[in-house]
Amino acid sequence: MSEFNSIITIGREYGAGGRTIAKRISEILGIPFYDKDIIKLTAEKTGFSEEMIHDTEEQSMARTIMNWLMPSGAASSYDRAIMAQAQTIRKIAKEGPCVIVGRGADYILRDFPNVVNVFVYAEEEDKIKYAMETFGESHEQAVRRVHHSDAARESYYHYLTRGKWGNLSNYHLTLNSSPIGKEACADVIIAY
């Protein structure tokens, strides 16, 4: 579909299928999608390790609390890694239509035209089932994984934006992937 000229950002809860949905949209529309490869692209450009960039999402919960307690000074390597990721996302978006999963892309691209911001969530039991099946975890381990992952994403988003992750007013479209499935979510986003 060469006439398609939008950038789609997909914020998502853990286990809701954001990556799967983005991949399907990418295949149908013939546009690239970016998820964890943003980490690799950022590492190549900056010299930061992929692990350090990946850990910014995991460490955001603790960093947010520390930043409330400590005065701000020069940008830490943590802050520089987040800024570098944001620059990578903006560069990707300038190259043309694509789908970008997570990493606060809706906020980072807020001044870009033709951006469609989507948030995908799922029922708790479906998210837990996903973690159990994907990682072979017990129910209790899966519950901890889901809660930790969503808390880290929420904290990262707040650290980046000072806004609330999953707030309906940040998105053009919100979808619950549990009742309709991931394929139908992709189809709804494309139709939108």
Side-chain angles (χ1 to χ4, degrees):
M1 292 187 130
S2 59
E3 73 275 357
F4 186 82
N5 67 352
S6 294
I7 298 159
I8 300 170
T9 70
I10 299 180
R12 77 285 185 226
E13 289 182 344
Y14 178 85
R19 180 177 175 81
T20 302
I21 293 165
K23 187 174 181 182
R24 178 167 168 80
I25 292 168
S26 169
E27 290 168 356
I28 291 170
L29 296 178
I31 61 174
F33 85 97
Y34 299 91
D35 186 6
K36 294 177 182 174
D37 34 0
I38 291 171
I39 293 170
K40 182 177 181 177
L41 292 169
T42 302
E44 289 170 358
K45 181 179 179 199
T46 64
F48 287 123
S49 73
E50 289 183 36
E51 181 181 35
M52 189 257 200
I53 296 166
H54 176 267
D55 287 348
T56 59
E57 188 171 296
E58 293 298 314
Q59 296 173 5
S60 292
M61 199 167 9
R63 293 290 303 177
T64 299
I65 293 167
M66 289 301 292
N67 284 339
W68 289 336
L69 301 174
M70 310 252 323
S72 51
S76 67
S77 58
Y78 173 85
D79 293 325
R80 290 192 314 271
I82 290 175
M83 289 185 280
Q85 232 180 153
Q87 289 172 344
T88 299
I89 289 168
R90 291 179 69 81
K91 181 181 181 296
I92 288 167
K94 287 177 183 175
E95 292 172 0
C98 60
V99 185
I100 302 173
V101 179
R103 290 161 185 79
D106 61 298
Y107 177 80
I108 292 166
L109 301 176
R110 66 193 178 279
D111 61 336
F112 274 60
N114 300 326
V115 175
V116 175
N117 298 317
V118 179
F119 190 82
V120 181
Y121 61 100
E123 302 300 327
E124 182 86 1
E125 60 270 12
D126 291 332
K127 294 170 15 173
I128 294 167
K129 181 180 175 187
Y130 169 81
M132 290 173 67
E133 291 172 354
T134 302
F135 298 101
E137 296 178 332
S138 70
H139 186 270
E140 295 76 25
Q141 291 170 317
V143 168
R144 280 194 299 277
R145 178 182 295 274
V146 167
H147 291 171
H148 174 77
S149 296
D150 281 347
R153 288 175 181 179
E154 180 176 17
S155 180
Y156 179 89
Y157 192 86
H158 178 75
Y159 184 79
L160 178 68
T161 71
R162 299 296 183 243
K164 180 157 175 42
W165 177 70
N167 181 342
L168 297 178
S169 65
N170 295 337
Y171 306 97
H172 300 103
L173 184 63
T174 59
L175 295 166
N176 181 344
S177 64
S178 289
I180 66 171
K182 296 168 184 76
E183 282 190 19
C185 284
D187 295 341
V188 168
I189 293 166
I190 291 169
Y192 179 86

